[in-house]
Amino acid sequence: MTFLQFAYNNVARNKRTYAAFFLSSVFSVMIFFVYAMFIFHPAIDSEEIHASVATGMMVAEYVIFLFAFFFLLYCVGAFLKKREKEFGILFVHGMTPTQRNLLIFLENMLIGAIALVFGIGLGMVLARLFFQFAGFLLDVQALPFYLPWQAIVLTVAAFTLLFAAISIFAVLFLRKRTILELL
């Protein structure tokens, strides 16, 4: 079994433990993606919708990204706290701290990649409702569904960086504990 297979098996076997992190990741990706679809919508470029609304949506996009970073970092921290006993057992079996760090990184990136797919898919489904609601709020005709490739690229790039940063920060914040403390 390779190390990547080991990380995959950890995620597959501990679905319940990873569920909160996964669902919060999917929700964050979905919200970010829907806002990105709104920002890159062609009706925004036309004078149909005021430029200040588009600027407000861009600011909201940054706030969502920042909130997602801290929220997911907190989720990973709580998730790693739950797994201390497991890490203690792995250390007894000969795992090094470097291997533990790599395992955490691979698991987080795997969950992040799956969350990206589900979040973008769910965002596509809910975007139509969002566009209708935005049209109602802005007192214009409901925006037609439009899937800009820029929104997909922005979401994938931003959240790939986000999940990598969260994985690195989570590893850096792990305290050095003895095996006895972990068990």
Side-chain angles (χ1 to χ4, degrees):
M1 178 185 312
T2 67
F3 204 70
L4 186 59
Q5 288 172 329
F6 181 62
Y8 173 77
N9 288 338
N10 270 353
V11 172
R13 289 184 189 134
N14 296 321
K15 291 177 196 129
R16 208 183 221 175
T17 306
Y18 292 94
F21 177 59
F22 174 72
L23 291 176
S24 32
S25 299
V26 168
F27 182 74
S28 298
V29 169
M30 178 195 68
I31 296 297
F32 186 90
F33 179 66
V34 168
Y35 273 76
M37 285 178 67
F38 186 83
I39 290 168
F40 291 112
H41 199 283
I44 301 296
D45 291 336
S46 68
E47 291 302 315
E48 188 175 321
I49 297 176
H50 198 271
S52 64
V53 173
T55 305
M57 293 298 270
M58 285 184 174
V59 170
E61 190 87 326
Y62 290 121
V63 170
I64 290 168
F65 186 77
L66 190 63
F67 175 75
F69 175 77
F70 288 114
F71 180 63
L72 294 177
L73 187 62
Y74 174 76
C75 287
V76 167
F79 158 71
L80 290 176
K81 182 85 173 144
K82 262 182 152 176
R83 296 184 62 205
E84 285 182 346
K85 193 177 215 177
E86 179 184 338
F87 290 136
I89 292 170
L90 289 172
F91 282 137
V92 167
H93 287 286
M95 178 180 258
T96 65
T98 304
Q99 289 174 326
R100 178 203 54 194
N101 296 346
L102 180 61
L103 178 67
I104 292 169
F105 183 81
L106 289 174
E107 288 173 352
N108 285 341
M109 292 306 288
L110 180 64
I111 292 170
I114 296 168
L116 267 170
V117 171
F118 277 89
I120 289 174
L122 197 57
M124 283 183 205
V125 170
L126 296 177
R128 180 71 182 146
L129 292 173
F130 182 77
F131 287 158
Q132 285 180 337
F133 186 67
F136 172 75
L137 284 179
L138 298 171
D139 199 26
V140 294
Q141 184 179 355
L143 298 172
F145 181 78
Y146 177 72
L147 182 62
W149 62 269
Q150 300 100 324
I152 295 172
V153 170
L154 176 66
T155 304
V156 169
F159 274 89
T160 300
L161 288 173
L162 181 107
F163 286 120
I166 286 173
S167 299
I168 291 168
F169 278 118
V171 167
L172 292 176
F173 291 135
L174 284 176
R175 288 186 250 150
K176 303 282 186 212
R177 292 189 173 184
T178 64
I179 294 173
L180 192 56
E181 289 174 331
L182 290 172
L183 294 174

Short mmCIF file of all heavy atoms in Angstrom, two decimals, residues 24-82:
data_model
loop_
_atom_site.label_atom_id
_atom_site.label_comp_id
_atom_site.label_asym_id
_atom_site.label_seq_id
_atom_site.Cartn_x
_atom_site.Cartn_y
_atom_site.Cartn_z
N SER A 24 -18.63 21.57 5.36
CA SER A 24 -18.32 23.00 5.44
C SER A 24 -17.49 23.43 4.25
O SER A 24 -17.65 24.56 3.75
CB SER A 24 -17.63 23.36 6.75
OG SER A 24 -16.84 22.38 7.26
N SER A 25 -16.63 22.57 3.74
CA SER A 25 -15.85 22.89 2.55
C SER A 25 -16.75 23.01 1.33
O SER A 25 -16.60 23.95 0.53
CB SER A 25 -14.79 21.81 2.30
OG SER A 25 -13.89 21.72 3.36
N VAL A 26 -17.69 22.07 1.18
CA VAL A 26 -18.62 22.12 0.04
C VAL A 26 -19.45 23.39 0.09
O VAL A 26 -19.62 24.08 -0.93
CB VAL A 26 -19.54 20.87 0.03
CG1 VAL A 26 -20.70 21.04 -0.95
CG2 VAL A 26 -18.74 19.63 -0.32
N PHE A 27 -19.95 23.75 1.27
CA PHE A 27 -20.76 24.95 1.42
C PHE A 27 -19.95 26.20 1.06
O PHE A 27 -20.44 27.08 0.35
CB PHE A 27 -21.29 25.04 2.85
CG PHE A 27 -22.19 26.22 3.07
CD1 PHE A 27 -23.47 26.24 2.56
CD2 PHE A 27 -21.73 27.32 3.78
CE1 PHE A 27 -24.30 27.33 2.75
CE2 PHE A 27 -22.55 28.41 3.98
CZ PHE A 27 -23.84 28.42 3.47
N SER A 28 -18.71 26.28 1.53
CA SER A 28 -17.86 27.44 1.24
C SER A 28 -17.58 27.55 -0.26
O SER A 28 -17.65 28.64 -0.82
CB SER A 28 -16.54 27.33 2.00
OG SER A 28 -16.75 27.32 3.37
N VAL A 29 -17.26 26.44 -0.89
CA VAL A 29 -16.99 26.44 -2.34
C VAL A 29 -18.25 26.85 -3.11
O VAL A 29 -18.17 27.65 -4.04
CB VAL A 29 -16.49 25.04 -2.80
CG1 VAL A 29 -16.46 24.95 -4.31
CG2 VAL A 29 -15.12 24.75 -2.22
N MET A 30 -19.39 26.32 -2.70
CA MET A 30 -20.64 26.62 -3.39
C MET A 30 -20.96 28.11 -3.34
O MET A 30 -21.27 28.73 -4.37
CB MET A 30 -21.79 25.82 -2.78
CG MET A 30 -23.14 26.11 -3.42
SD MET A 30 -24.52 25.50 -2.45
CE MET A 30 -24.44 26.58 -1.04
N ILE A 31 -20.88 28.71 -2.16
CA ILE A 31 -21.19 30.14 -2.01
C ILE A 31 -20.21 30.98 -2.84
O ILE A 31 -20.61 31.90 -3.55
CB ILE A 31 -21.14 30.54 -0.53
CG1 ILE A 31 -22.22 29.82 0.26
CG2 ILE A 31 -21.26 32.04 -0.36
CD1 ILE A 31 -23.62 30.15 -0.16
N PHE A 32 -18.93 30.66 -2.75
CA PHE A 32 -17.92 31.39 -3.50
C PHE A 32 -18.19 31.28 -5.00
O PHE A 32 -18.11 32.27 -5.73
CB PHE A 32 -16.53 30.84 -3.16
CG PHE A 32 -15.39 31.62 -3.76
CD1 PHE A 32 -14.83 32.68 -3.09
CD2 PHE A 32 -14.87 31.26 -4.99
CE1 PHE A 32 -13.78 33.39 -3.63
CE2 PHE A 32 -13.82 31.95 -5.55
CZ PHE A 32 -13.27 33.02 -4.87
N PHE A 33 -18.52 30.08 -5.46
CA PHE A 33 -18.75 29.85 -6.88
C PHE A 33 -19.97 30.61 -7.39
O PHE A 33 -19.95 31.20 -8.48
CB PHE A 33 -18.90 28.35 -7.15
CG PHE A 33 -19.15 28.02 -8.59
CD1 PHE A 33 -18.18 28.25 -9.55
CD2 PHE A 33 -20.36 27.48 -8.99
CE1 PHE A 33 -18.41 27.95 -10.89
CE2 PHE A 33 -20.60 27.18 -10.32
CZ PHE A 33 -19.62 27.41 -11.26
N VAL A 34 -21.05 30.62 -6.62
CA VAL A 34 -22.26 31.33 -7.04
C VAL A 34 -21.98 32.83 -7.15
O VAL A 34 -22.40 33.48 -8.12
CB VAL A 34 -23.43 31.03 -6.07
CG1 VAL A 34 -24.59 31.97 -6.31
CG2 VAL A 34 -23.88 29.59 -6.23
N TYR A 35 -21.24 33.38 -6.20
CA TYR A 35 -20.89 34.79 -6.29
C TYR A 35 -19.98 35.05 -7.50
O TYR A 35 -20.12 36.07 -8.16
CB TYR A 35 -20.21 35.26 -4.99
CG TYR A 35 -21.19 35.72 -3.95
CD1 TYR A 35 -21.92 34.80 -3.21
CD2 TYR A 35 -21.38 37.06 -3.70
CE1 TYR A 35 -22.82 35.22 -2.25
CE2 TYR A 35 -22.28 37.49 -2.74
CZ TYR A 35 -22.99 36.56 -2.01
OH TYR A 35 -23.88 36.98 -1.07
N ALA A 36 -19.06 34.13 -7.76
CA ALA A 36 -18.17 34.29 -8.92
C ALA A 36 -18.98 34.23 -10.22
O ALA A 36 -18.71 34.99 -11.16
CB ALA A 36 -17.09 33.21 -8.92
N MET A 37 -19.99 33.37 -10.28
CA MET A 37 -20.84 33.31 -11.47
C MET A 37 -21.57 34.64 -11.66
O MET A 37 -21.72 35.10 -12.80
CB MET A 37 -21.86 32.17 -11.35
CG MET A 37 -21.28 30.80 -11.55
SD MET A 37 -22.50 29.49 -11.35
CE MET A 37 -23.57 29.78 -12.74
N PHE A 38 -22.01 35.23 -10.58
CA PHE A 38 -22.71 36.52 -10.67
C PHE A 38 -21.76 37.60 -11.16
O PHE A 38 -22.13 38.42 -11.99
CB PHE A 38 -23.29 36.89 -9.30
CG PHE A 38 -24.15 38.11 -9.32
CD1 PHE A 38 -25.48 38.03 -9.70
CD2 PHE A 38 -23.63 39.35 -8.99
CE1 PHE A 38 -26.29 39.16 -9.72
CE2 PHE A 38 -24.42 40.48 -9.02
CZ PHE A 38 -25.75 40.38 -9.39
N ILE A 39 -20.54 37.62 -10.63
CA ILE A 39 -19.57 38.65 -11.01
C ILE A 39 -19.21 38.57 -12.50
O ILE A 39 -19.09 39.58 -13.18
CB ILE A 39 -18.30 38.53 -10.14
CG1 ILE A 39 -18.62 38.95 -8.71
CG2 ILE A 39 -17.16 39.37 -10.69
CD1 ILE A 39 -17.53 38.61 -7.72
N PHE A 40 -19.06 37.34 -13.01
CA PHE A 40 -18.66 37.17 -14.41
C PHE A 40 -19.85 37.07 -15.37
O PHE A 40 -19.66 36.78 -16.55
CB PHE A 40 -17.77 35.93 -14.55
CG PHE A 40 -16.42 36.10 -13.93
CD1 PHE A 40 -16.07 35.37 -12.79
CD2 PHE A 40 -15.49 36.99 -14.44
CE1 PHE A 40 -14.83 35.52 -12.20
CE2 PHE A 40 -14.25 37.15 -13.85
CZ PHE A 40 -13.92 36.42 -12.74
N HIS A 41 -21.05 37.29 -14.90
CA HIS A 41 -22.23 37.20 -15.75
C HIS A 41 -22.19 38.34 -16.78
O HIS A 41 -21.85 39.47 -16.45
CB HIS A 41 -23.50 37.30 -14.90
CG HIS A 41 -24.71 36.79 -15.59
ND1 HIS A 41 -25.37 37.51 -16.57
CD2 HIS A 41 -25.38 35.63 -15.46
CE1 HIS A 41 -26.39 36.81 -17.00
NE2 HIS A 41 -26.44 35.66 -16.33
N PRO A 42 -22.54 38.08 -18.05
CA PRO A 42 -22.49 39.12 -19.08
C PRO A 42 -23.44 40.30 -18.81
O PRO A 42 -23.17 41.41 -19.24
CB PRO A 42 -22.86 38.41 -20.37
CG PRO A 42 -23.15 37.02 -20.05
CD PRO A 42 -22.91 36.78 -18.61
N ALA A 43 -24.53 40.07 -18.09
CA ALA A 43 -25.45 41.16 -17.80
C ALA A 43 -24.82 42.18 -16.85
O ALA A 43 -25.24 43.33 -16.81
CB ALA A 43 -26.74 40.62 -17.18
N ILE A 44 -23.81 41.76 -16.12
CA ILE A 44 -23.10 42.68 -15.23
C ILE A 44 -22.28 43.66 -16.06
O ILE A 44 -22.15 44.83 -15.71
CB ILE A 44 -22.19 41.91 -14.25
CG1 ILE A 44 -22.99 40.93 -13.40
CG2 ILE A 44 -21.38 42.84 -13.37
CD1 ILE A 44 -23.99 41.58 -12.49
N ASP A 45 -21.71 43.19 -17.17
CA ASP A 45 -20.91 44.06 -18.04
C ASP A 45 -21.77 45.12 -18.72
O ASP A 45 -21.33 46.23 -18.95
CB ASP A 45 -20.18 43.24 -19.10
CG ASP A 45 -19.08 42.39 -18.49
OD1 ASP A 45 -18.59 42.75 -17.40
OD2 ASP A 45 -18.71 41.38 -19.11
N SER A 46 -22.99 44.74 -19.04
CA SER A 46 -23.87 45.72 -19.65
C SER A 46 -24.34 46.69 -18.56
O SER A 46 -24.15 46.47 -17.39
CB SER A 46 -25.07 45.03 -20.31
OG SER A 46 -25.89 44.47 -19.32
N GLU A 47 -24.94 47.76 -18.98
CA GLU A 47 -25.38 48.77 -18.01
C GLU A 47 -26.69 48.39 -17.34
O GLU A 47 -27.29 49.18 -16.64
CB GLU A 47 -25.53 50.12 -18.73
CG GLU A 47 -24.21 50.70 -19.16
CD GLU A 47 -23.24 50.90 -18.00
OE1 GLU A 47 -23.64 51.40 -16.94
OE2 GLU A 47 -22.07 50.53 -18.16
N GLU A 48 -27.13 47.15 -17.53
CA GLU A 48 -28.38 46.71 -16.94
C GLU A 48 -28.31 46.72 -15.41
O GLU A 48 -29.28 47.04 -14.74
CB GLU A 48 -28.71 45.30 -17.46
CG GLU A 48 -30.07 44.81 -17.09
CD GLU A 48 -30.35 43.47 -17.75
OE1 GLU A 48 -29.94 43.29 -18.91
OE2 GLU A 48 -30.95 42.63 -17.09
N ILE A 49 -27.18 46.38 -14.88
CA ILE A 49 -26.99 46.36 -13.43
C ILE A 49 -25.90 47.35 -13.09
O ILE A 49 -24.85 47.38 -13.72
CB ILE A 49 -26.63 44.94 -12.95
CG1 ILE A 49 -27.79 44.00 -13.24
CG2 ILE A 49 -26.30 44.94 -11.47
CD1 ILE A 49 -27.52 42.57 -12.90
N HIS A 50 -26.14 48.13 -12.08
CA HIS A 50 -25.23 49.20 -11.71
C HIS A 50 -23.86 48.64 -11.32
O HIS A 50 -23.74 47.57 -10.72
CB HIS A 50 -25.83 49.99 -10.55
CG HIS A 50 -25.20 51.33 -10.38
ND1 HIS A 50 -24.11 51.52 -9.58
CD2 HIS A 50 -25.49 52.54 -10.92
CE1 HIS A 50 -23.76 52.78 -9.62
NE2 HIS A 50 -24.60 53.43 -10.42
N ALA A 51 -22.81 49.38 -11.65
CA ALA A 51 -21.44 48.93 -11.37
C ALA A 51 -21.16 48.78 -9.89
O ALA A 51 -20.34 47.95 -9.48
CB ALA A 51 -20.44 49.89 -12.00
N SER A 52 -21.84 49.54 -9.05
CA SER A 52 -21.59 49.43 -7.61
C SER A 52 -22.06 48.08 -7.07
O SER A 52 -21.49 47.56 -6.10
CB SER A 52 -22.28 50.57 -6.86
OG SER A 52 -23.68 50.48 -7.00
N VAL A 53 -23.08 47.50 -7.69
CA VAL A 53 -23.53 46.17 -7.28
C VAL A 53 -22.44 45.15 -7.58
O VAL A 53 -22.13 44.28 -6.75
CB VAL A 53 -24.85 45.79 -7.99
CG1 VAL A 53 -25.23 44.35 -7.70
CG2 VAL A 53 -25.96 46.74 -7.57
N ALA A 54 -21.83 45.25 -8.75
CA ALA A 54 -20.75 44.32 -9.11
C ALA A 54 -19.56 44.50 -8.19
O ALA A 54 -18.94 43.52 -7.77
CB ALA A 54 -20.34 44.55 -10.56
N THR A 55 -19.23 45.73 -7.84
CA THR A 55 -18.14 45.99 -6.92
C THR A 55 -18.45 45.41 -5.54
O THR A 55 -17.59 44.81 -4.90
CB THR A 55 -17.86 47.51 -6.81
OG1 THR A 55 -17.63 48.01 -8.11
CG2 THR A 55 -16.67 47.79 -5.92
N GLY A 56 -19.68 45.59 -5.10
CA GLY A 56 -20.10 45.03 -3.83
C GLY A 56 -19.99 43.52 -3.81
O GLY A 56 -19.61 42.92 -2.80
N MET A 57 -20.32 42.89 -4.93
CA MET A 57 -20.21 41.43 -5.02
C MET A 57 -18.75 40.99 -4.98
O MET A 57 -18.43 39.95 -4.40
CB MET A 57 -20.88 40.93 -6.30
CG MET A 57 -22.38 41.11 -6.30
SD MET A 57 -23.20 40.20 -5.00
CE MET A 57 -23.50 38.67 -5.83
N MET A 58 -17.86 41.78 -5.58
CA MET A 58 -16.43 41.44 -5.52
C MET A 58 -15.92 41.53 -4.08
O MET A 58 -15.16 40.67 -3.64
CB MET A 58 -15.63 42.35 -6.43
CG MET A 58 -15.74 42.04 -7.88
SD MET A 58 -14.67 43.12 -8.82
CE MET A 58 -14.85 42.44 -10.43
N VAL A 59 -16.34 42.57 -3.38
CA VAL A 59 -15.93 42.70 -1.97
C VAL A 59 -16.49 41.53 -1.17
O VAL A 59 -15.79 40.96 -0.32
CB VAL A 59 -16.42 44.06 -1.40
CG1 VAL A 59 -16.24 44.12 0.10
CG2 VAL A 59 -15.68 45.21 -2.07
N ALA A 60 -17.73 41.15 -1.45
CA ALA A 60 -18.34 40.01 -0.77
C ALA A 60 -17.56 38.73 -1.07
O ALA A 60 -17.40 37.87 -0.19
CB ALA A 60 -19.79 39.85 -1.19
N GLU A 61 -17.05 38.61 -2.27
CA GLU A 61 -16.25 37.44 -2.65
C GLU A 61 -14.98 37.34 -1.79
O GLU A 61 -14.63 36.27 -1.30
CB GLU A 61 -15.90 37.54 -4.14
CG GLU A 61 -15.28 36.32 -4.72
CD GLU A 61 -16.31 35.33 -5.22
OE1 GLU A 61 -17.39 35.21 -4.65
OE2 GLU A 61 -16.01 34.64 -6.20
N TYR A 62 -14.31 38.47 -1.59
CA TYR A 62 -13.12 38.49 -0.73
C TYR A 62 -13.47 38.14 0.71
O TYR A 62 -12.74 37.40 1.37
CB TYR A 62 -12.42 39.86 -0.78
CG TYR A 62 -11.76 40.16 -2.10
CD1 TYR A 62 -12.13 41.28 -2.84
CD2 TYR A 62 -10.77 39.34 -2.61
CE1 TYR A 62 -11.53 41.56 -4.06
CE2 TYR A 62 -10.17 39.60 -3.82
CZ TYR A 62 -10.54 40.71 -4.54
OH TYR A 62 -9.95 40.99 -5.74
N VAL A 63 -14.56 38.67 1.20
CA VAL A 63 -14.99 38.39 2.57
C VAL A 63 -15.33 36.91 2.72
O VAL A 63 -14.96 36.28 3.73
CB VAL A 63 -16.19 39.29 2.96
CG1 VAL A 63 -16.80 38.85 4.28
CG2 VAL A 63 -15.76 40.74 3.03
N ILE A 64 -16.02 36.35 1.75
CA ILE A 64 -16.36 34.92 1.79
C ILE A 64 -15.08 34.09 1.81
O ILE A 64 -14.98 33.11 2.58
CB ILE A 64 -17.23 34.54 0.57
CG1 ILE A 64 -18.61 35.14 0.71
CG2 ILE A 64 -17.32 33.03 0.40
CD1 ILE A 64 -19.44 35.06 -0.55
N PHE A 65 -14.11 34.45 1.00
CA PHE A 65 -12.87 33.70 0.95
C PHE A 65 -12.13 33.77 2.29
O PHE A 65 -11.65 32.76 2.79
CB PHE A 65 -11.98 34.22 -0.18
CG PHE A 65 -10.75 33.41 -0.40
CD1 PHE A 65 -10.82 32.19 -1.06
CD2 PHE A 65 -9.51 33.83 0.05
CE1 PHE A 65 -9.70 31.42 -1.28
CE2 PHE A 65 -8.38 33.08 -0.15
CZ PHE A 65 -8.47 31.86 -0.81
N LEU A 66 -12.06 34.95 2.87
CA LEU A 66 -11.39 35.12 4.15
C LEU A 66 -12.12 34.36 5.25
O LEU A 66 -11.49 33.67 6.07
CB LEU A 66 -11.30 36.61 4.49
CG LEU A 66 -10.43 37.00 5.67
CD1 LEU A 66 -8.98 36.61 5.40
CD2 LEU A 66 -10.54 38.49 5.92
N PHE A 67 -13.45 34.47 5.26
CA PHE A 67 -14.23 33.73 6.24
C PHE A 67 -14.04 32.22 6.06
O PHE A 67 -13.91 31.49 7.04
CB PHE A 67 -15.72 34.10 6.12
CG PHE A 67 -16.61 33.29 7.00
CD1 PHE A 67 -16.67 33.53 8.37
CD2 PHE A 67 -17.39 32.27 6.47
CE1 PHE A 67 -17.49 32.77 9.19
CE2 PHE A 67 -18.22 31.51 7.29
CZ PHE A 67 -18.27 31.76 8.64
N ALA A 68 -14.04 31.75 4.82
CA ALA A 68 -13.86 30.32 4.55
C ALA A 68 -12.51 29.84 5.06
O ALA A 68 -12.40 28.74 5.62
CB ALA A 68 -13.99 30.04 3.05
N PHE A 69 -11.48 30.67 4.90
CA PHE A 69 -10.16 30.28 5.38
C PHE A 69 -10.17 30.04 6.89
O PHE A 69 -9.74 28.99 7.36
CB PHE A 69 -9.11 31.35 5.02
CG PHE A 69 -7.76 31.07 5.59
CD1 PHE A 69 -6.94 30.11 5.01
CD2 PHE A 69 -7.30 31.73 6.71
CE1 PHE A 69 -5.69 29.82 5.53
CE2 PHE A 69 -6.06 31.47 7.25
CZ PHE A 69 -5.25 30.51 6.66
N PHE A 70 -10.67 31.01 7.64
CA PHE A 70 -10.66 30.87 9.10
C PHE A 70 -11.62 29.79 9.58
O PHE A 70 -11.32 29.03 10.50
CB PHE A 70 -10.95 32.21 9.78
CG PHE A 70 -9.81 33.17 9.66
CD1 PHE A 70 -9.94 34.33 8.93
CD2 PHE A 70 -8.59 32.89 10.26
CE1 PHE A 70 -8.88 35.21 8.80
CE2 PHE A 70 -7.52 33.77 10.13
CZ PHE A 70 -7.67 34.93 9.41
N PHE A 71 -12.76 29.69 8.93
CA PHE A 71 -13.74 28.68 9.31
C PHE A 71 -13.20 27.27 9.06
O PHE A 71 -13.30 26.39 9.92
CB PHE A 71 -15.04 28.91 8.53
CG PHE A 71 -16.12 27.93 8.82
CD1 PHE A 71 -16.67 27.84 10.08
CD2 PHE A 71 -16.61 27.11 7.81
CE1 PHE A 71 -17.69 26.92 10.35
CE2 PHE A 71 -17.62 26.21 8.07
CZ PHE A 71 -18.16 26.11 9.33
N LEU A 72 -12.61 27.05 7.89
CA LEU A 72 -12.09 25.73 7.57
C LEU A 72 -10.84 25.41 8.39
O LEU A 72 -10.61 24.26 8.76
CB LEU A 72 -11.82 25.61 6.07
CG LEU A 72 -13.07 25.65 5.20
CD1 LEU A 72 -12.69 25.60 3.73
CD2 LEU A 72 -14.02 24.54 5.54
N LEU A 73 -10.05 26.42 8.72
CA LEU A 73 -8.89 26.21 9.59
C LEU A 73 -9.35 25.76 10.97
O LEU A 73 -8.76 24.86 11.57
CB LEU A 73 -8.06 27.48 9.68
CG LEU A 73 -6.73 27.37 10.42
CD1 LEU A 73 -5.80 26.38 9.73
CD2 LEU A 73 -6.06 28.73 10.50
N TYR A 74 -10.41 26.37 11.47
CA TYR A 74 -10.97 25.96 12.76
C TYR A 74 -11.49 24.53 12.68
O TYR A 74 -11.26 23.73 13.60
CB TYR A 74 -12.09 26.92 13.18
CG TYR A 74 -12.79 26.48 14.43
CD1 TYR A 74 -12.20 26.65 15.67
CD2 TYR A 74 -14.04 25.87 14.36
CE1 TYR A 74 -12.85 26.24 16.82
CE2 TYR A 74 -14.69 25.45 15.50
CZ TYR A 74 -14.10 25.64 16.74
OH TYR A 74 -14.73 25.22 17.86
N CYS A 75 -12.19 24.19 11.59
CA CYS A 75 -12.72 22.83 11.42
C CYS A 75 -11.58 21.80 11.40
O CYS A 75 -11.70 20.73 12.02
CB CYS A 75 -13.53 22.72 10.14
SG CYS A 75 -15.12 23.53 10.21
N VAL A 76 -10.50 22.12 10.70
CA VAL A 76 -9.37 21.19 10.63
C VAL A 76 -8.74 21.02 12.00
O VAL A 76 -8.36 19.91 12.40
CB VAL A 76 -8.33 21.66 9.58
CG1 VAL A 76 -7.03 20.91 9.71
CG2 VAL A 76 -8.87 21.47 8.19
N GLY A 77 -8.62 22.13 12.74
CA GLY A 77 -8.05 22.05 14.08
C GLY A 77 -8.87 21.15 15.00
O GLY A 77 -8.32 20.31 15.72
N ALA A 78 -10.19 21.31 14.95
CA ALA A 78 -11.07 20.46 15.77
C ALA A 78 -11.00 19.01 15.30
O ALA A 78 -11.00 18.07 16.12
CB ALA A 78 -12.49 20.98 15.69
N PHE A 79 -10.91 18.84 14.01
CA PHE A 79 -10.84 17.50 13.42
C PHE A 79 -9.54 16.80 13.83
O PHE A 79 -9.53 15.62 14.17
CB PHE A 79 -10.96 17.67 11.91
CG PHE A 79 -10.44 16.57 11.09
CD1 PHE A 79 -11.08 15.36 11.06
CD2 PHE A 79 -9.29 16.73 10.34
CE1 PHE A 79 -10.60 14.33 10.29
CE2 PHE A 79 -8.81 15.72 9.57
CZ PHE A 79 -9.46 14.51 9.55
N LEU A 80 -8.42 17.53 13.84
CA LEU A 80 -7.15 16.93 14.23
C LEU A 80 -7.11 16.62 15.72
O LEU A 80 -6.47 15.66 16.15
CB LEU A 80 -5.98 17.85 13.85
CG LEU A 80 -5.71 17.98 12.36
CD1 LEU A 80 -4.61 18.99 12.11
CD2 LEU A 80 -5.37 16.64 11.75
N LYS A 81 -7.79 17.42 16.52
CA LYS A 81 -7.86 17.18 17.96
C LYS A 81 -8.54 15.84 18.23
O LYS A 81 -8.15 15.10 19.13
CB LYS A 81 -8.64 18.32 18.62
CG LYS A 81 -8.74 18.23 20.09
CD LYS A 81 -7.51 18.83 20.71
CE LYS A 81 -7.72 18.89 22.22
NZ LYS A 81 -6.51 18.64 22.93
N LYS A 82 -9.56 15.52 17.43
CA LYS A 82 -10.29 14.25 17.56
C LYS A 82 -9.40 13.05 17.23
O LYS A 82 -9.64 11.95 17.72
CB LYS A 82 -11.47 14.23 16.59
CG LYS A 82 -12.77 14.59 17.16
CD LYS A 82 -13.81 14.45 16.06
CE LYS A 82 -15.15 14.13 16.62
NZ LYS A 82 -16.17 14.09 15.59
#
